[in-house]
Amino acid sequence: MDPRSRTAGEAQTRWPQAMRLAGLMHKEFLQILRDPSSIAIAFLMPVVLLVIFGYGVSLDAKGIPIALVIEQPGAEASAFAGALGNSEYFVTTTVRTMEEARQAMVEGRADAIVHLRSDFARQLRRPGGAPIQVLLNGVDANRARVVSGYIAGAWQTWLISQAAASGVAVTVPVAVEERVWFNSELRSRDFLVPGLVAIITTLIGSLLTAMVVAREWERGTMEALLVTPVHIREILLGKLVPYFALGMGGMAVTVGVGVLLLGVPLRGSLLVLAAVAAVFLLVALGVGLLISVATKNQFVAGQIAILTSFLPAFMLSGFIFNIASAPLPIQWLTRIVAARYFVSILHTVFMAGDIWAVILPNLLVLAAMGTIFLTLARLKSRKHLE
């Protein structure tokens, strides 16, 4: 056969395929535009979640209510009370008796009680110092530990300042000079917002894609597609591309609002962030598509997507809870959660920069997961009615 004829024949074959694929993508884009829920999930929901987690949810321990009991007021006791009250971490309320303080803690009006006994001033001048009693609300164990550390730090700082004012040297066996890397202001917002990128991308990729094929079966339009010359891979690709664009758009909105409005630092490359997000989005799309071709029911597909994608991404990705502090079986379970690897990359790119020793291994795992899920979705798809 003449090579020119073969080339012309291949071009004639590829042209109808390209036209069919363009038509399918156009149809899916129109479907997205006519469905307000898809637009809301992709562009409105990121803004709502960012406002909630950026302004409403905070892991910072500031403004801690403390009930302060001073049995015998004096200059030293008043100075220590003033040091606690002037700190941004505490909001102190002075009460007369321990019974009032205990009642305040029981009713939730105080997270801690600081008790200065009647001999506080006298004991303070002795070599052993003056002990103070601290009672903590231990319902939230992590918060109780933080409050305990803050009070101990405030106590030590006050002792050093009092000694300096009196011209007495205070011997401290260990001098600690703290320096916080990557998040020097210790703002929980800088930790939460990057993780939201993974949560929002999971929702867009898995939840919306999980219903695209199922919707075709429910509406009876899949049968019409199956009798056309369209190949099954063209159907799948025609549905993936629009939602890929939608997911990248939602990711861009999330990053833009987080950086420009909430002031979250982005120390890494925007190009690296976009590339990693694209790989993770393919994983989410593969999961959603596999669910969609397997269920053929929108309600069931949505429930499965939430249980297998959104909840693991929220609970087991390191978005809020530290994976290293979880029991060992849970740590192993998180290894099958794709969002875990994406959250690790996001925290690195946002707060540390392009650290390839962290980015590359996680990116390779995401690429492998995306290949597996997209391949399974393709193998599960058949161009027949059963």
Side-chain angles (χ1 to χ4, degrees):
M1 180 182 293
D2 187 1
R4 289 177 296 179
S5 301
R6 184 170 62 250
T7 303
E10 292 175 354
Q12 291 176 356
T13 304
R14 287 196 297 268
W15 176 250
Q17 292 177 352
M19 292 296 293
R20 292 196 300 265
L21 183 58
L24 289 171
M25 289 190 292
H26 179 69
K27 164 189 169 297
E28 204 62 40
F29 272 117
L30 289 178
Q31 182 67 45
I32 292 172
L33 294 175
R34 294 169 182 172
D35 185 7
S37 63
S38 298
I39 303 298
I41 290 175
F43 299 106
L44 180 60
M45 183 190 63
V47 177
V48 173
L49 288 177
L50 285 167
V51 170
I52 292 174
F53 281 89
Y55 294 106
V57 177
S58 176
L59 303 179
D60 303 333
K62 293 185 179 180
I64 303 163
I66 291 180
L68 188 60
V69 182
I70 303 177
E71 291 186 357
Q72 185 174 345
E76 292 83 357
S78 297
F80 179 62
L84 286 179
N86 292 330
S87 171
E88 63 175 334
Y89 298 106
F90 306 116
V91 176
T92 59
T93 302
T94 303
V95 296
R96 297 179 180 178
T97 64
M98 282 295 293
E99 185 59 34
E100 292 182 47
R102 291 191 184 97
Q103 188 64 28
M105 184 179 287
V106 169
E107 294 176 358
R109 293 183 284 111
D111 286 341
I113 299 173
V114 176
H115 181 199
L116 305 184
R117 303 183 191 278
S118 58
D119 59 348
F120 175 76
R122 185 175 67 256
Q123 292 285 347
L124 192 63
R125 296 180 179 89
R126 294 185 176 181
I132 62 174
Q133 183 183 23
V134 177
L135 304 178
L136 299 171
N137 182 350
V139 173
D140 187 341
N142 290 328
R143 184 176 176 85
R145 283 191 288 267
V146 171
V147 173
S148 176
Y150 282 176
I151 294 176
W155 170 245
Q156 183 179 6
T157 302
W158 180 78
L159 284 177
I160 294 174
S161 64
Q162 287 293 108
S166 304
V168 178
V170 177
T171 302
V172 181
V174 178
V176 179
E177 296 183 2
E178 294 184 351
R179 182 181 178 185
V180 180
W181 285 17
F182 310 130
N183 187 5
S184 58
E185 298 181 6
L186 296 176
R187 293 197 312 170
S188 59
R189 178 188 300 175
D190 295 352
F191 174 79
L192 292 174
V193 170
L196 274 179
V197 177
I199 302 301
I200 292 168
T201 307
T202 300
L203 273 176
I204 297 174
S206 298
L207 185 60
L208 293 182
T209 313
M211 294 184 284
V212 293
V213 178
R215 182 172 58 231
E216 300 281 4
W217 285 107
E218 284 190 355
R219 295 179 177 178
T221 54
M222 180 57 76
E223 288 85 348
L225 281 174
L226 294 180
V227 298
T228 64
V230 177
H231 195 276
I232 190 65
R233 66 171 176 270
E234 296 171 357
I235 296 177
L236 298 179
L237 193 59
K239 293 186 176 299
L240 283 178
V241 172
Y243 284 96
F244 179 84
L246 194 67
M248 293 301 289
M251 188 275 296
V253 170
T254 307
V255 173
V257 173
V259 173
L260 300 178
L261 182 61
L262 300 180
V264 177
L266 177 58
R267 298 188 173 97
S269 168
L270 189 61
L271 185 61
V272 171
L273 177 61
V276 173
V279 175
F280 176 73
L281 184 57
L282 288 176
V283 179
L285 291 171
V287 173
L289 195 60
L290 179 60
I291 294 171
S292 189
V293 298
T295 58
K296 300 181 181 180
N297 181 281
Q298 288 191 80
F299 177 78
V300 175
Q303 297 300 309
I304 294 176
I306 291 175
L307 292 175
T308 60
S309 298
F310 174 70
L311 290 181
F314 195 90
M315 303 294 293
L316 301 176
S317 66
F319 165 55
I320 293 180
F321 308 107
N322 186 13
I323 296 176
S325 62
L328 191 59
I330 301 299
Q331 294 185 35
W332 281 99
L333 182 62
T334 62
R335 295 181 182 276
I336 64 173
V337 179
R340 168 201 167 135
Y341 305 97
F342 190 36
V343 168
S344 177
I345 295 175
L346 289 170
H347 285 155
T348 301
V349 172
F350 270 88
M351 291 189 285
D354 298 334
I355 311 300
W356 289 103
V358 177
I359 296 173
L360 194 56
N362 290 290
L363 184 60
L364 291 176
V365 175
L366 289 177
M369 285 186 169
T371 302
I372 291 172
F373 285 119
L374 290 172
T375 301
L376 290 176
R378 172 62 185 87
L379 295 176
K380 184 66 179 177
S381 303
R382 294 288 186 271
K383 197 175 178 183
H384 52 68
L385 295 178
E386 285 130 12

